[in-house]
Amino acid sequence: MSRWKALPAELDPRVRQLLVRLRRLKDHNGLTMRQLAARTGYSAKSWERYLSGRSVPPRDAVEAMARICGDDAVRLLALHEVAVEAWRDKPSGTQEQATREQATQEQSTQEQSTQEQSTQEQGVTEPAVMEPALSDAAPPVPAGPEAVAPEPGTMPTRAAEGPRISRRSLSIALVAGCVALVLAASAAVFVAVRFVGDEKGGAPAPAGHAASTAAASPAATKAAYRCRLERIDGRWYAGNSRATDATVAYGDSGPQVAEVQCLLRRAGISPGGIDGMFGPLTMGAVERLQKQAHLDVDGIAGPNTWKALRG
């Protein structure tokens, strides 16, 4: 059984009741965070945030948990609905503080990752070039009876030694240049392969981790989501999700978040990029839409917000 950390003391009892129930279901079925992510479509980091009391899980996540654990979905969704209402009733200062802490942590992690990647690329693309050590010093003159002294009134000449020293220096320079050229070509190929790998999302991941990998990789998420707007039965759809009453909040990721972003952009409110990540920009855009539609401004895309987006 998992050794859970204590839930925050300021957590509302109605939210606490839902989270304790979800924790028991996970432990009873012997699920790890990765298995839970693979079977529900929500990342392991999202589940850690939900079960630690930092955010209320979306309705789809709770329904998926009930399905895979064989629990009563009606009862569990009723607890979820009460918990969502309690979460919305939290003091605004507490919500803003939690949002700022999560945004600061995400920005710090992103800056550290960018710095490490830049250091690695600089170490690869700047190969050391060996400079040949050229010396004009003449070879030692042998001592003994075979040594020939210069004739009086004449200067010793090095004309015979000049061509030999020049050929040696040229050979060293050519070898050093070839080594530098090979290292530079290898570095260029490495960077090109790495760039292509990043563009294509890297090597395919194992089937058991497909969902968590897709949620954890921003590059893959950005490449996967597009806005294909169409109006069906008086409602707008963007081709990523057909949800109408799901709860999507800060820190969530996936197609429902991309659908919210596309519909916000259609309404003339920019959420940043269509990347499927519910970050500070998306949250601010949702709040502006709620103000325009005269809804409760909480930054969470719930049933009423979905209705305003698709209307």
Side-chain angles (χ1 to χ4, degrees):
M1 180 177 294
S2 301
R3 304 180 69 179
W4 297 100
K5 292 183 180 180
L7 292 171
E10 66 275 9
L11 198 63
D12 190 281
R14 293 168 290 179
V15 180
R16 184 184 300 272
Q17 183 180 7
L18 173 65
L19 299 185
V20 169
R21 180 66 179 174
L22 294 177
R23 286 182 174 188
R24 289 178 180 174
L25 287 176
K26 174 185 174 298
D27 292 342
H28 180 73
N29 288 270
L31 296 172
T32 64
M33 288 296 184
R34 289 188 175 183
Q35 293 172 341
L36 194 59
R39 299 179 65 179
T40 61
Y42 289 84
S43 68
K45 290 185 178 180
S46 296
W47 276 111
E48 290 176 0
R49 185 173 65 256
Y50 301 152
L51 298 179
S52 63
R54 288 181 289 166
S55 177
V56 177
R59 177 185 176 90
D60 290 350
V62 175
E63 188 174 4
M65 172 77 87
R67 184 178 63 256
I68 65 176
C69 294
D71 194 35
D72 185 2
V74 176
R75 178 182 178 184
L76 200 59
L77 290 176
L79 292 176
H80 172 265
E81 185 175 354
V82 173
V84 169
E85 292 297 330
W87 187 266
R88 291 175 179 173
D89 294 340
K90 288 175 58 179
S92 58
T94 304
Q95 292 183 352
E96 293 178 357
Q97 181 178 2
T99 301
R100 287 196 298 269
E101 291 177 355
Q102 292 181 3
T104 302
Q105 183 178 4
E106 290 180 358
Q107 182 178 3
S108 176
T109 303
Q110 184 176 4
E111 291 178 354
Q112 182 179 2
S113 175
T114 303
Q115 183 177 4
E116 292 177 355
Q117 182 178 359
S118 175
T119 302
Q120 292 176 358
E121 291 180 353
Q122 290 178 359
V124 173
T125 57
E126 297 181 359
V129 179
M130 295 186 298
E131 296 183 357
L134 302 179
S135 175
D136 293 334
V141 178
E146 296 180 358
V148 180
E151 295 181 1
T154 62
M155 296 294 295
T157 179
R158 298 177 57 187
E161 297 175 359
R164 183 177 62 183
I165 295 176
S166 178
R167 286 195 298 270
R168 181 182 178 187
S169 301
L170 181 60
S171 299
I172 294 175
L174 287 175
V175 171
C178 292
V179 171
L181 183 61
V182 170
L183 291 176
S186 301
V189 171
F190 178 82
V191 172
V193 171
R194 184 173 183 178
F195 178 79
V196 173
D198 290 343
E199 288 292 327
K200 293 183 177 180
H209 303 287
S212 60
T213 303
S217 174
T221 303
K222 289 180 181 178
Y225 299 121
R226 297 173 57 189
C227 297
R228 298 179 293 272
L229 294 170
E230 59 179 344
R231 192 169 179 85
I232 302 175
D233 296 334
R235 294 182 177 181
W236 285 101
Y237 294 91
N240 296 302
S241 173
R242 301 184 69 85
T244 57
D245 58 354
T247 300
V248 185
Y250 183 89
D252 291 338
S253 61
Q256 292 182 353
V257 178
E259 184 79 3
V260 171
Q261 292 172 334
C262 289
L263 295 178
L264 284 169
R265 179 174 291 181
R266 188 206 68 80
I269 303 175
S270 174
I274 310 300
D275 55 5
M277 305 294 291
F278 202 115
L281 294 178
T282 303
M283 183 175 178
V286 170
E287 290 177 348
R288 291 196 296 273
L289 175 74
Q290 290 171 338
K291 288 180 181 179
Q292 292 181 5
H294 304 290
L295 301 174
D296 293 336
V297 180
D298 55 8
I300 300 173
N304 292 331
T305 303
W306 277 108
K307 185 176 180 181
L309 287 169
R310 297 201 185 278

